[in-house]
Amino acid sequence: MNKLHLRLLAVILLLIGGGATWYKMTALGLPITADSTTQIWTVEARISFQADGGPSQVNFNIPHNPPGFNVLSEDYVSGQYGLARDRDGDNRVAMWTARRASGNQALYYRIQLADDRDSDIDLNSPAPAYPEVPDYPEPFGSAARALLSDVREESADIASFTRRLLLRYNADDPGENVQVLRSGVEGSTAHVNNLIDILAGARIPARAVQILILRDRMRRASLDTFLEVHNGSEWIPLNPVTAERGYPSNVLVWKRGAEQPLTVSGGSGADIEFAAARTIREMVSVAEQRAAQRGASMLMDFSLFSLPVQAQNTYRLLLLVPIGALMMVILRNVVGIATFGTFMPILIALAFRETELAWGIFLFTTVVAFGLAIRFYLENLKLLLVPRLAAVLIVVVLLMAVFSILSHKLGLERGLSIALFPMVILAMTIERMSLVWEEHGAGQAIRQGLGSLVVAILAYLVMFQPQVGHMVFVFPELLLVVLAVVLLLGRYTGYRLMELWRFRHLIMDRKGQ
Amino acid sequence: MIGWFRQLRRAGILGMNERNARFIMLHNQRRNYPLVDDKLITKKRAQEAGIHVPALYGVVEIEHQIRDLPTMLGAREDFVIKPAHGSGGNGIMVITDRQRDNFRLANGVLVGIEEVGHHISNILSGMHSLGGQPDQAMIEQRVLFDPLFEHVSYNGVPDIRTVVFKGVPVMAMVRLPTRRSGGKANLHQGALGVGLDMGTGLTTTAVLKERFVDEHPDTGNPIAGLQIPEWDKLLELAARCYHLADLGYLGVDVVLDRHEGPMVLELNARPGLSIQLANRRSLLKRLEQVEALDEIPADPRARVAITKELFARNNPPTPQAVPP
């Protein structure tokens, strides 16, 4: 029953820890690797017009679930205008209204977007009705029909049909039909509208999509037009010129439909200018912002990222201690390495972080060796335990100071980091080591000392893997998994690796018989 | 590696983790530990139960009492000073002889009363005790060990460690001090562990620092085939110790005094595993045999009978005499 209880507890801990980690990884997009960054686009639209002096209203379409991006934040600079937002079919619209406005007016809309290739592309809006075949004027009509029947021969489905059509329409040496179709059409929007008209001849539902092509530090940019055709189940975006399928990563869908994105009443000379800038940011902060945007911020509000940076840095270190503790459990109970003090090696490993490994080992052995020498001298004075411990502690502190000064004079700045060694722990280690030395012999003392050092090195190597530090900080619930493993190891009754060595003669003896 | 694991498992060797989780934690109540960790309590309880222990001459509890040491010692020629909470035979000072105000240690060195006082002071400060807490120093009768082991030990007092499980002695060994162990009867420090035939009390195989040996490393004398005197009495003594502390998994250390026979020196709530090496036998299998018993009789003699019935035949082969 006891064992079942323990296993149930461990399984529950594993599920909670693993589940929360998995959720944060998949749903919130927290990165698994330490140095993941993503690009953030900040896009700004500037609306300007000349107000008449009476009431004015500005309706401006703003992006709605743009494919390939995650919206991190939106800002409006509205001045005296009241702001309302509304859905408008597949689009979203921002409405600025003012009772009285005159002179030059400027309104700003700013959106922050994170690259997200796997965001759910919202192209599943209700299927449109099949368009009626339009009444084409001649010779447009016969040219369109000829082109459509040519293209139909070469294609399998709506997507490939449209692609062929686009390629033919944009060919360098267009045939006679295409020349007829293209004549008198200027500008990309007009061409797209023309194409929608031609596609209607094949009863293919199509629409124009107004897009912004993002370039870093672009200014005074304007919208471009893309084509989307509906294949019966979803809208398929196509570049109307190159016929490439899908939106490239630098294309932001601003509005679906060919209508002007901006309408102004009570004003004239309306104009929009777009600007964009790209920044690189850490995935973590992006995920955080995204979670807030989605309202799933509970987990993030209570995450370590909500702490002040100073405290965050403390926890970056503290959260590694359980990993060190796990190492201790494994190395002592499964491997069976003898150490001084249960958790002393972890504290040494923490100190190694500041000193770096080679220096850390050197400093540690030096201080312990000097300390031991002094401790053996103190033995002759026959001091009582606590004063003797205090004396060793004082000597350790002095040694550290002398070492720092010497290494500073020699220009070895690393030597200064010795100050970060846990001196009380060092003093206790020296005392314990000297006792073991006296009672169990030098061999035993050195073996345990080396054991402690080896464990400290191994703990250091594991604890200060950037990946490990990142995982426990971003997913602190992983510590529940560590707890579960430690609990399970708490009932490990198998042999320690060292016992294989200890009882080796018994095994060989049995073999011999 | 896995193969080695399996072989150890098949040989039924008890490992440290399994000992702790399955036997010590299950059968030894934490609150009973002080009864064995404090040798003063053990001694008192043993005396009340009529179990033979070395006589207690005096106890030093506070630093101040060290001044009264000469009065406390009186004219005693030989005695032993040990910490009440000592472990692994540490902090034991054996005085074998006295020349007026000088005391002769077991290794022959003469020391003054201040040295003895300093040793007691160290004991009081907790230098030799588990966990370093302040301790008491016991002054007790020196055991004059049986001449039986004279040729196979070097200084110190050999003792007999018996593992008693639920009151049934399951395995025993003699621990012989060597030069390497500095006269201490502790296997970790290099003492010789010699397995015992549970039925007859004859010595069998021996281990020194994990290596099997047939002779004492210092004296060169063969170890096997020595007869422990009053073996049945010794087993009964060990079995009776079960009631002293109610520890299901218990180590009983017995010394053989030349004149007074077997005496219980101390009890141990966490007896080690090297006894398996000394006997070349699995402790786990024997423990499981006792675990499988439906009922353990309350009478120590009946439990000794169980020991003889279950374990008397399970002995390692007597080692071949090595030709000179």
Side-chain angles (χ1 to χ4, degrees):
Chain A
M1 169 245 140
N2 215 338
K3 205 145 193 176
L4 183 71
H5 178 143
L6 180 76
R7 283 190 186 153
L8 270 178
L9 180 64
V11 166
I12 291 170
L13 286 173
L14 275 174
L15 285 180
I16 297 176
T21 307
W22 186 80
Y23 174 76
K24 282 169 84 171
M25 237 147 47
T26 53
L28 299 185
L30 281 164
I32 306 166
T33 47
D35 47 355
S36 357
T37 53
T38 186
Q39 39 177 2
I40 306 287
W41 286 101
T42 306
V43 181
E44 191 181 83
R46 180 180 185 274
I47 299 160
S48 58
F49 63 97
Q50 201 72 33
D52 297 341
S56 65
Q57 174 165 2
V58 178
N59 283 5
F60 179 54
N61 284 104
I62 53 178
H64 173 58
N65 286 348
F69 293 100
N70 252 305
V71 178
L72 297 180
S73 69
E74 288 179 298
D75 290 309
Y76 306 83
V77 178
S78 325
Q80 52 170 333
Y81 286 78
L83 171 71
R85 276 161 296 180
D86 200 7
R87 282 289 296 273
D88 171 21
D90 278 341
N91 295 308
R92 224 155 43 110
V93 64
M95 289 172 287
W96 281 281
T97 47
R99 194 160 283 281
R100 239 186 304 279
S102 60
N104 271 331
Q105 306 288 314
L107 296 167
Y108 292 90
Y109 167 73
R110 190 181 301 130
I111 183 169
Q112 270 203 321
L113 301 154
D115 264 353
D116 184 4
R117 282 294 104 195
D118 4 281
S119 72
D120 338 321
I121 297 170
D122 185 23
L123 294 176
N124 300 323
S125 47
Y130 294 109
E132 290 299 317
V133 177
D135 230 351
Y136 296 120
E138 288 301 334
F140 192 92
S142 36
R145 278 188 291 275
L147 178 63
L148 286 173
S149 70
D150 282 1
V151 168
R152 195 173 279 121
E153 300 279 301
E154 300 167 4
S155 61
D157 58 2
I158 288 178
S160 57
F161 180 91
T162 315
R163 260 179 69 83
R164 296 302 311 167
L165 178 73
L166 288 172
L167 288 173
R168 291 284 284 268
Y169 187 84
N170 292 305
D172 287 337
D173 52 338
E176 213 170 299
N177 288 332
V178 173
Q179 269 175 8
V180 171
L181 293 173
R182 289 184 67 112
S183 66
V185 183
E186 287 298 330
S188 63
T189 315
H191 275 299
V192 170
N193 284 333
N194 195 26
L195 281 163
I196 292 170
D197 208 23
I198 298 168
L199 282 166
R203 303 205 63 192
I204 294 173
R207 66 180 180 186
V209 175
Q210 302 190 42
I211 53 137
L212 185 65
I213 298 168
L214 300 173
R215 278 183 304 274
D216 193 16
R217 286 180 227 153
M218 71 176 184
R219 311 183 63 82
R220 297 171 192 277
S222 52
L223 294 178
D224 241 317
T225 313
F226 245 58
L227 180 67
E228 277 186 2
V229 291
H230 203 274
N231 70 353
S233 59
E234 58 174 357
W235 286 104
I236 298 163
L238 289 154
N239 186 321
V241 179
T242 64
E244 271 167 38
R245 186 175 169 161
Y247 291 113
S249 64
N250 66 334
V251 161
L252 170 64
V253 171
W254 199 272
K255 177 193 165 49
R256 285 152 182 125
E259 313 82 36
Q260 280 298 317
L262 176 68
T263 53
V264 174
S265 66
S268 59
D271 188 26
I272 341 168
E273 280 176 359
F274 292 92
R278 184 175 57 187
T279 45
I280 304 292
R281 257 170 62 192
E282 271 182 49
M283 285 278 274
V284 175
S285 62
V286 172
E288 192 182 353
Q289 216 171 345
R290 181 186 310 160
Q293 193 80 10
R294 285 194 190 175
S297 57
M298 241 282 283
L299 263 174
M300 294 305 285
D301 273 353
F302 288 93
S303 87
L304 292 160
F305 290 105
S306 62
L307 293 175
V309 176
Q310 193 73 28
Q312 281 192 28
N313 288 339
T314 311
Y315 274 97
R316 274 184 197 276
L317 197 60
L318 279 189
L319 289 178
L320 289 172
V321 173
I323 301 293
L326 175 67
M327 290 288 296
M328 281 308 295
V329 169
I330 292 171
L331 289 173
R332 282 179 64 119
N333 274 37
V334 180
V335 180
I337 301 178
T339 61
F340 287 115
T342 317
F343 291 111
M344 183 277 262
I346 298 185
L347 295 171
I348 299 295
L350 286 177
F352 280 173
R353 189 181 82 127
E354 304 300 329
T355 58
E356 286 187 357
L357 196 53
W359 265 99
I361 295 168
F362 172 71
L363 294 174
F364 175 78
T365 18
T366 317
V367 170
V368 169
F370 270 104
L372 265 181
I374 306 255
R375 169 67 182 75
F376 282 126
Y377 167 71
L378 289 178
E379 179 63 24
N380 293 329
L381 303 183
K382 308 278 175 207
L383 301 178
L384 293 176
L385 176 78
V386 180
R388 187 177 57 223
L389 261 179
V392 172
L393 177 61
I394 293 168
V395 167
V396 166
V397 172
L398 282 175
L399 271 176
M400 284 162 60
V402 167
F403 216 93
S404 285
I405 295 167
L406 276 184
S407 60
H408 180 65
K409 292 283 177 214
L410 291 174
L412 302 167
E413 293 304 315
R414 275 273 156 221
L416 295 176
S417 54
I418 192 176
L420 294 153
F421 269 116
M423 55 202 170
V424 175
I425 298 290
L426 276 180
M428 301 287 275
T429 305
I430 291 167
E431 174 68 20
R432 294 269 298 270
M433 197 162 171
S434 76
L435 285 188
V436 172
W437 193 297
E438 232 162 73
E439 289 168 2
H440 301 258
Q444 186 73 14
I446 289 170
R447 213 171 65 191
Q448 282 193 37
L450 278 181
S452 306
L453 193 59
V454 166
V455 172
I457 292 169
L458 289 178
Y460 165 83
L461 290 178
V462 172
M463 283 161 76
F464 295 107
Q465 279 289 319
Q467 187 62 35
V468 172
H470 171 81
M471 286 300 270
V472 289
F473 190 72
V474 177
F475 308 106
E477 48 284 330
L478 279 179
L479 294 187
L480 292 178
V481 177
V482 172
L483 180 61
V485 173
V486 168
L487 288 179
L488 287 177
L489 281 175
R491 291 295 302 177
Y492 169 72
T493 58
Y495 298 111
R496 299 173 180 180
L497 288 180
M498 290 291 177
E499 281 170 350
L500 297 183
W501 177 251
R502 180 177 174 192
F503 295 116
R504 65 195 181 280
H505 290 292
L506 278 176
I507 298 177
M508 289 181 216
D509 198 44
R510 274 174 66 84
K511 268 190 192 157
Q513 277 172 26
Chain B
M1 192 89 100
I2 307 283
W4 280 48
F5 262 86
R6 275 212 206 101
Q7 280 174 24
L8 267 191
R9 179 62 60 207
R10 215 174 303 133
I13 299 304
L14 184 63
M16 188 79 80
N17 290 328
E18 190 164 22
R19 179 199 75 171
N20 292 345
R22 210 175 136 189
F23 296 101
I24 292 188
M25 285 209 278
L26 235 53
H27 295 281
N28 291 0
Q29 300 268 335
R30 191 97 227 169
R31 62 186 157 82
N32 291 334
Y33 279 25
L35 302 181
V36 296
D37 287 343
D38 187 332
K39 296 190 180 74
L40 273 171
I41 298 180
T42 314
K43 196 182 279 283
K44 198 179 289 170
R45 287 178 76 108
Q47 280 168 339
E48 281 163 10
I51 291 173
H52 204 174
V53 290
L56 184 67
Y57 294 161
V59 181
V60 182
E61 291 174 44
I62 52 173
E63 202 76 17
H64 194 75
Q65 287 174 302
I66 297 175
R67 276 198 234 164
D68 307 331
L69 202 56
T71 355
M72 193 183 287
L73 292 174
R76 292 189 198 283
E77 294 271 304
D78 62 335
F79 52 90
V80 175
I81 299 172
K82 56 163 81 163
H85 286 91
S87 67
N90 294 323
I92 298 177
M93 183 182 238
V94 183
I95 307 292
T96 56
D97 197 6
R98 183 171 177 176
Q99 293 177 346
R100 240 170 284 157
D101 283 342
N102 287 325
F103 299 88
R104 191 178 298 282
L105 299 178
N107 58 8
V109 178
L110 273 178
V111 295
I113 187 106
E114 314 80 49
E115 190 97 357
V116 179
H118 178 73
H119 183 77
I120 293 176
S121 167
N122 268 344
I123 290 175
L124 296 187
S125 70
M127 183 165 150
H128 303 288
S129 58
L130 295 162
Q133 79 267 43
D135 204 356
Q136 300 165 333
M138 304 161 61
I139 303 173
E140 63 172 31
Q141 172 192 357
R142 177 169 80 102
V143 176
L144 300 168
F145 68 91
D146 198 280
L148 169 70
F149 298 121
E150 216 156 350
H151 300 293
V152 285
S153 65
Y154 179 88
N155 280 343
V157 182
D159 70 1
I160 296 157
R161 154 71 58 91
T162 311
V163 172
V164 180
F165 184 53
K166 292 165 112 174
V168 181
V170 291
M171 198 176 266
M173 68 169 162
V174 186
R175 301 189 296 184
L176 300 172
T178 59
R179 184 202 299 271
R180 197 167 163 189
S181 77
K184 284 175 190 160
N186 189 322
L187 260 55
H188 279 297
Q189 293 168 26
L192 193 66
V194 187
L196 285 173
D197 179 340
M198 291 306 275
T200 59
L202 282 169
T203 54
T204 55
T205 51
V207 70
L208 179 72
K209 276 270 177 188
E210 299 165 16
R211 274 192 11 258
F212 295 149
V213 293
D214 296 328
E215 293 136 14
H216 191 276
D218 302 319
T219 65
N221 293 316
I223 300 158
L226 294 174
Q227 171 68 54
I228 305 286
E230 300 182 87
W231 176 241
D232 288 0
K233 198 175 153 193
L234 190 147
L235 281 182
E236 197 191 315
L237 203 60
R240 279 165 66 195
C241 285
Y242 171 54
H243 302 290
L244 290 184
D246 274 325
L247 292 171
Y249 184 74
L250 180 72
V252 179
D253 294 348
V254 175
V255 281
L256 298 177
D257 190 85
R258 194 176 307 194
H259 309 298
E260 301 181 41
M263 285 193 232
V264 173
L265 206 55
E266 60 176 82
L267 305 182
N268 194 321
R270 315 163 191 82
L273 305 169
S274 296
I275 198 167
Q276 305 180 93
L277 282 169
N279 279 285
R280 301 189 200 176
R281 280 295 168 270
S282 148
L283 189 54
L284 185 59
K285 283 181 187 163
R286 292 191 181 186
L287 293 173
E288 278 171 345
Q289 274 175 284
V290 174
E291 244 176 0
L293 292 177
D294 295 328
E295 193 189 6
I296 309 254
D299 179 18
R301 251 171 253 175
R303 294 203 296 267
V304 171
I306 293 177
T307 301
K308 298 220 156 188
E309 186 197 319
L310 288 180
F311 312 126
R313 286 179 303 275
N314 180 11
N315 279 307
T318 358
Q320 310 285 310
V322 184

